[in-house]
Amino acid sequence: MPAVTVENPLTLPRVAAPADAVARPVLGVTTAPSGFEGEGFPVRRAFAGIHYRHLDPFIMMDQMGEVEYQPGEPKGTPWHPHRGFETVTYIIDGIFDHQDSQGGGGTITNGDTQWMTAGSGLLHIEAPPEHLVVSGGLFHGLQLWVNLPAKDKMMAPRYQDIRGGSVQLLASPDGGALLRVIAGELDGNAGPGITHTPITMIHATLAPGAELTLPWREDFNGLAYVLAGKGSVGAEQRPIRLGQTAVFGAGSSLTVRADEQQDSNTPDMEVVLLGGQPIREPMAHYGPFVMNTKDELQQAFEDFQKGRLGTIPAVHGMSEGGPQG
């Protein structure tokens, strides 16, 4: 980690909050519980215990790994449905294949992101390719769920394959922090991801002792999740470490710092920064469906059971020997 980097961050455009920016306070820091997803790959539930009013428009986020698989161990998910939101899968290390009931699919690897707008619904499967199952290897990524407003929940499904080389790279003024803007924009620098709900998604790497203070849209919420390492958040320097999420309050800038001493297994602090414009609509969420009412959830289950979200292809084109639906 990380997959997309540069030799000298000082060659990049630099970004910092203006001197008169209002620092966002830290409302709280939570620790993600660990569990297993799909066919058994380890995850941290980044947003567990955080009230939805602080997350909106984000629904959930899983850190997948970081895990060094032995030969035969890599795991994926079985076929499953989605409706009413978007899934954002960001692979930092390793490889994932994707296939869906509408004939879409592809492979994402080091630094790539797949943005799937489930909309009205489909079935899909995510799994490591057969050669990775055979060989084993490092796997690490994120999956973020982004809500859709009521007017877009039943739109046609859509994909964006965002290659690592297309992300917008920026740096802090002293070059101590490298920023990858995956979606949205930061101080006028736009990432490649196209969003229905206005959001910003950034993966930042902070060298030991580095401080990062960024301008942040006042109409967005603010979240920071630590993928690796340790440091502090906010002007109050609230401690934060691997597997923890900071929730920021109102203001026009947010601050993250890396401790001078990092863990022996990670040279830098790695943080995902998220901001979004709250949708502020009722949310009914159960399993793989995110709608506005319980009746719409019931309809989604009925549509799934009756095959209206698609059917699993008889030969679905995953890597030979991969998980079968």
Side-chain angles (χ1 to χ4, degrees):
M1 186 191 350
V4 179
T5 189
V6 293
E7 189 90 12
N8 181 8
L10 290 173
T11 62
L12 300 170
R14 289 174 238 179
V15 60
D20 61 351
V22 177
R24 287 175 172 249
V26 177
L27 301 181
V29 173
T30 61
T31 301
S34 298
F36 292 91
E37 184 56 73
E39 296 174 334
F41 61 83
V43 298
R44 285 186 174 93
R45 305 283 190 197
F47 296 161
I50 301 174
H51 194 283
Y52 183 62
R53 69 175 176 274
H54 299 306
L55 299 176
D56 185 12
F58 307 109
I59 300 162
M60 59 150 274
M61 186 169 73
D62 284 347
Q63 180 180 8
M64 306 179 293
E66 180 175 8
V67 59
E68 183 75 44
Y69 282 122
Q70 297 302 306
E73 283 187 341
K75 305 287 198 303
T77 66
W79 284 92
H80 57 282
H82 286 307
R83 173 181 278 180
F85 64 102
E86 300 183 285
T87 66
V88 182
T89 306
Y90 174 49
I91 300 299
I92 300 166
D93 292 295
I95 309 173
F96 235 22
D97 281 345
H98 169 91
Q99 183 81 18
D100 71 56
S101 54
Q102 297 197 345
T107 298
I108 51 175
T109 186
N110 306 336
D112 295 342
T113 301
Q114 186 193 69
W115 202 292
M116 183 181 83
T117 304
S120 60
L122 42 61
L123 309 180
H124 82 149
I125 186 172
E126 297 159 306
E130 175 64 12
H131 67 83
L132 184 64
V133 176
V134 171
S135 67
L138 184 63
F139 182 81
H140 189 202
L142 283 176
Q143 187 168 93
L144 171 71
W145 288 13
V146 185
N147 203 2
L148 287 169
K151 65 182 179 62
D152 293 329
K153 282 196 177 294
M154 295 299 286
M155 67 180 291
R158 185 184 75 169
Y159 289 96
Q160 299 173 68
D161 279 315
I162 302 169
R163 296 299 156 184
S166 70
V167 301
Q168 173 70 57
L169 298 179
L170 305 169
S172 59
D174 65 359
L178 171 67
L179 300 147
R180 303 162 194 83
V181 184
I182 296 166
E185 62 92 27
L186 182 64
D187 199 27
N189 300 281
I194 300 167
T195 69
H196 290 279
T197 305
I199 72 164
T200 295
M201 180 181 183
I202 296 166
H203 172 195
T205 299
L206 285 77
E211 179 175 305
L212 181 64
T213 298
L214 298 177
W216 211 252
R217 279 180 52 169
E218 293 188 64
D219 60 335
F220 276 20
N221 59 3
L223 301 160
Y225 176 75
V226 181
L227 290 165
K230 57 187 178 178
S232 63
V233 285
E236 57 270 56
Q237 299 192 32
R238 181 82 171 264
I240 193 168
R241 57 176 167 77
L242 165 65
Q244 291 188 322
T245 301
V247 177
F248 291 91
S252 57
S253 72
L254 54 81
T255 297
V256 180
R257 296 175 191 81
D259 284 355
E260 293 281 356
Q261 296 294 322
Q262 293 295 322
D263 303 325
S264 58
N265 62 338
T266 177
D268 302 308
M269 183 183 183
E270 305 284 346
V271 185
V272 174
L273 301 171
L274 295 168
Q277 193 173 66
I279 296 173
R280 295 193 176 96
E281 293 177 349
M283 184 184 72
H285 171 204
Y286 189 81
F289 306 122
V290 182
M291 305 304 291
N292 294 104
T293 68
K294 289 184 178 179
D295 285 347
E296 289 171 344
L297 274 185
Q298 187 62 43
Q299 185 64 54
F301 272 103
E302 183 179 318
D303 289 347
F304 168 55
Q305 290 165 346
K306 293 187 176 179
R308 296 174 187 145
L309 301 190
T311 55
I312 298 171
V315 179
H316 53 72
M318 294 295 289
S319 302
E320 184 180 344
Q324 299 295 309

